[in-house]
Amino acid sequence: LLVCGPFETRDAVESSVRETLESDDRVHLVGHQLDMPAHYAAMSFLVLPTHREGFPNVPMEAAAMERAVVASDIPACREAVLDGETGLLVPEGDAGALADAMARYLDDPELARSHGDGRVPHRHGLAVADGYPIDFKRLGHGSPHYRVVHGRAG
């Protein structure tokens, strides 16, 4: 399990959960990362269990790297993940459904690959150029997200 990003203070995980994650050799806590393409490349699929997001860029970046996404079924994630096509949406806060969706991809890697085939929802000005999703309204050539969707970091 690869966990990118810091532990949040706003929605802190229980100390026992954090201790379990930190002590398990199968869990890699890498903190905040700037070189996300390398991390996406190491993933079989992305998991974004969230209950509050603006427009989530992470699923779009994962799609650009041809990774399926398991995400919470909240309005923002519905804009970035097509359930059953580019990923799996699970009820917000339902740990069992989240585990089941993850197990589904682990048990069926071909399904994860087919959901990560580069298709992206075409909503709100989103388009695909050269096989990569780009939101031309939001992303300038100098933005890190523009570079990520084009497979270049930095």
Side-chain angles (χ1 to χ4, degrees):
L1 177 65
L2 174 65
V3 180
C4 298
F7 283 101
E8 294 189 17
T9 54
R10 181 175 171 187
D11 294 314
V13 298
E14 295 178 21
S15 60
S16 62
V17 171
R18 184 174 177 156
E19 290 168 9
T20 299
L21 291 171
E22 292 173 335
S23 65
D24 191 325
D25 291 338
R26 299 169 299 170
V27 177
H28 304 277
L29 303 170
V30 297
H32 179 74
Q33 296 295 307
L34 296 177
D35 184 15
M36 284 307 298
H39 289 83
Y40 289 125
M43 298 175 191
S44 299
F45 56 90
L46 173 86
V47 180
L48 183 64
T50 184
H51 62 273
R52 58 173 165 68
E53 291 290 327
F55 182 81
N57 289 316
V58 171
M60 300 298 289
E61 294 170 356
M65 296 297 294
E66 298 186 349
R67 295 300 180 259
V69 177
V70 174
S72 299
D73 189 5
I74 62 172
C77 290
R78 280 183 228 126
E79 295 297 320
V81 178
L82 294 175
D83 190 32
E85 294 182 41
T86 63
L88 301 171
L89 294 173
V90 299
E92 175 189 354
D94 187 337
L98 182 67
D100 289 346
M102 293 168 62
R104 189 169 168 200
Y105 280 155
L106 290 170
D107 292 340
D108 189 353
E110 183 53 39
L111 178 64
R113 276 190 290 281
S114 72
H115 284 182
D117 69 0
R119 289 175 294 149
V120 178
H122 298 273
R123 300 177 185 150
H124 304 292
L126 294 175
V128 175
D130 297 326
Y132 296 102
I134 300 176
D135 180 347
F136 293 105
K137 294 178 183 173
R138 297 182 63 214
L139 303 179
H141 282 76
S143 86
H145 297 297
Y146 181 88
R147 291 189 299 271
V148 165
V149 298
H150 284 282
R152 295 187 302 269

